[in-house]
């Protein structure tokens, strides 16, 4: 009698697939983290989209193999139930773990462990010692499946069969990936993460430029702090005062290039701007061209007309909108918050 079915030969591209999976995993994780640190949204989106693209490519690349597998005639054999363990929900179909002794025609019997969904009504028909009909690919016996509706001939054979249990040592299972597969996956993960770090090393590790670090302005009560992606000016007087916002902008212009601003936020005594990342294609504007004389009246109108109880705080957000600049005031009070926009 023949020996237990030999395991399928390892896919020659399995190691390459493991390496590429590691690269994609490392790149995705590092791109997501780096994108958050440097506040670069395209990098975050690219990191999240990479696994989706990779999954689609794997699916397309696996189409020829799936077609070949579908053309292979499966082995049909009788199987004796050695053990049954049910789990899952209390109604409907539940997953049941089977250990079967499979007796293929003209080959040695062997054991296999599978999971099959069985309806609660049919569960009493699947007891240890019972005989079922299974089928599996000739080169992958661990992928056995129970045939729900066997042909009349196989039904008669199952009803009359008496099967001896195969030894536990004959249990077949999918061969492990191996140490090489794991090592290549780890190597790919490290290389993928390193690739992102190298490409964005300037934004992450470059020292701050002179003049962009913390410095004291001419007024002892004013200070400018900045990083590679944003800058803040804090003053000791309200920016709604005459000329105060313009002076804050001028003090910021002395320490940073404010012609590449994508967002500006004005609060009572603080001005914060966010700069466009190097090389990024996104709307931006020159903060020096801002019509600062329109900001105080807009804030006063918002605090007077928006019903939030007694207004406690306000914030002006300025962003480019097409060829114009959009200004929006948010007022917060005991009764909530409201907004007033000025698209000028």
């Amino acid at each position: 009698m023949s020996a237990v079915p030999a395991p399928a030969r390892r896919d020659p591209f399995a190691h390459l697939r493991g390496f590429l999976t590691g690269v994609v995993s490392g790149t995705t994780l590092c791109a997501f983290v780096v994108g958050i640190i440097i506040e670069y949204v395209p990098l975050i989106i690219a990191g999240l989209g990479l696994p989706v693209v990779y999954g689609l490519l794997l699916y397309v690349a696996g189409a020829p193999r799936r077609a070949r597998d579908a053309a292979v005639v499966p082995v049909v054999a009788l199987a004796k139930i050695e053990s049954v363990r049910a789990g899952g929900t209390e109604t409907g179909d539940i997953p049941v773990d089977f250990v079967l002794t499979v007796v293929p025609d003209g080959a040695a019997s062997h054991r296999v462990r599978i999971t099959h969904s069985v309806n609660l009504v049919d569960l009493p028909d699947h007891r240890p010692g019972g005989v079922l009909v299974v089928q599996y690919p000739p080169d992958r016996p661990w992928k056995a499946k129970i045939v729900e509706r066997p042909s009349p001939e196989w039904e008669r054979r199952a009803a009359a069969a008496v099967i001896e249990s195969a030894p536990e040592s004959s249990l077949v299972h999918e061969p492990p990936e191996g140490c090489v597969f794991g090592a290549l996956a780890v190597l790919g993960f490290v290389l993928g993460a390193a690739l992102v770090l190298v490409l964005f090393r300037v934004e992450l590790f470059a020292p701050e430029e002179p003049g962009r670090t913390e410095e004291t302005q001419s007024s002892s009560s004013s200070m400018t702090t900045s990083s590679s992606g944003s800058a803040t000016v804090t003053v000791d007087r309200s920016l709604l005062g005459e000329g105060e916002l313009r002076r804050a902008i001028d003090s910021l212009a002395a320490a940073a290039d404010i012609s590449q601003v994508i967002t500006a936020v004005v609060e009572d005594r603080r001005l914060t701007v966010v700069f466009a990342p190097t090389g990024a294609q996104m709307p931006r504007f020159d903060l020096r061209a801002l019509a600062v004389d329109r900001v105080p009246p807009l804030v006063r109108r918002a605090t007077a007309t928006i019903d939030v109880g007694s207004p406690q705080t306000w914030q002006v957000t300025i962003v480019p909108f097409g060829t114009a600049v959009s200004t929006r005031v948010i007022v917060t009070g005991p009764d909530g918050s409201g907004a007033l926009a000025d698209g000028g």
Side-chain angles (χ1 to χ4, degrees):
M1 187 173 291
S2 303
V4 176
R9 180 179 299 177
R10 173 63 60 190
D11 182 356
F13 296 103
H15 291 161
L16 176 60
R17 187 169 61 250
F19 175 75
L20 293 179
T21 300
V23 171
V24 171
S25 301
T27 302
T28 298
L29 179 60
C30 193
F32 183 76
V33 174
V34 171
I36 293 177
I37 293 175
I38 66 176
E39 299 178 353
Y40 190 27
V41 176
L43 180 59
I44 299 175
I45 296 176
L48 296 177
L50 183 59
V52 177
V53 176
Y54 179 65
L56 291 176
L57 291 177
L58 280 183
Y59 180 81
V60 172
R65 178 176 179 176
R66 291 194 297 274
R68 291 194 302 268
D69 292 344
V72 175
V73 179
V75 174
V76 181
L78 297 177
K80 174 185 177 183
I81 301 176
E82 299 291 349
S83 67
V84 178
R85 187 177 64 183
T89 61
E90 298 180 354
T91 59
D93 293 344
I94 60 174
V96 179
D97 294 330
F98 289 90
V99 175
L100 306 174
T101 288
V102 181
V103 186
D105 292 340
S109 61
H110 60 274
R111 290 198 180 199
V112 66
R113 180 179 287 108
I114 66 172
T115 299
H116 182 74
S117 294
V118 179
N119 193 278
L120 280 176
V121 177
D122 300 326
L123 191 58
D125 298 332
H126 298 78
R127 294 181 176 179
V131 178
L132 304 170
V133 180
V134 299
Q135 67 179 24
Y136 56 87
D139 59 342
R140 295 189 297 278
W142 55 86
K143 287 186 173 292
K145 296 181 180 179
I146 296 176
V147 179
E148 295 284 356
R149 295 179 177 83
S151 65
E153 178 186 355
W154 280 102
E155 284 185 345
R156 289 192 296 269
R157 291 183 60 179
V162 177
I163 298 177
E164 295 184 3
S165 300
E168 294 183 4
S169 59
S170 65
L171 181 68
V172 295
H173 50 78
E174 185 174 6
E177 298 290 354
C179 297
V180 176
F181 182 92
L184 288 176
V186 173
L187 176 62
F189 184 93
V190 173
L191 291 179
L195 176 63
V196 176
L197 293 177
V198 169
L199 292 177
F200 293 91
R201 64 187 184 280
V202 175
E203 290 82 353
L204 282 171
F205 306 117
E208 296 182 348
E209 300 176 4
R212 297 289 299 275
T213 58
E214 183 176 315
E215 64 179 25
T216 303
Q217 301 300 311
S218 55
S219 171
S220 59
S221 59
S222 175
M223 182 173 63
T224 300
T225 60
S226 70
S227 65
S228 59
S230 63
T232 301
V233 176
T234 303
V235 298
D236 62 347
R237 294 177 294 275
S238 174
L239 291 175
L240 296 182
E242 184 177 358
E244 291 297 332
L245 182 55
R246 174 58 63 189
R247 280 190 286 271
I249 293 175
D250 292 342
S251 66
L252 183 59
D257 180 11
I258 58 173
S259 65
Q260 306 294 319
V261 175
I262 58 175
T263 305
V265 178
V266 181
E267 296 172 277
D268 187 46
R269 299 188 179 187
R270 181 168 58 191
L271 168 64
T272 303
V273 299
V274 178
F275 305 105
T278 303
Q281 299 298 321
M282 57 179 62
R284 63 196 68 190
F285 67 100
D286 191 336
L287 189 59
R288 289 167 296 191
L290 178 67
V292 294
D293 57 333
R294 301 179 62 174
V295 173
L298 182 63
V299 173
R300 296 187 183 99
R301 180 154 56 98
T303 55
T305 58
I306 298 177
D307 185 14
V308 291
S310 177
Q312 295 178 345
T313 61
W314 57 266
Q315 182 183 85
V316 180
T317 303
I318 305 164
V319 295
F321 187 78
T323 57
V325 176
S326 174
T327 305
R328 179 183 177 90
V329 184
I330 300 176
V331 179
T332 303
D335 298 337
S337 62
L340 178 67
D342 179 8

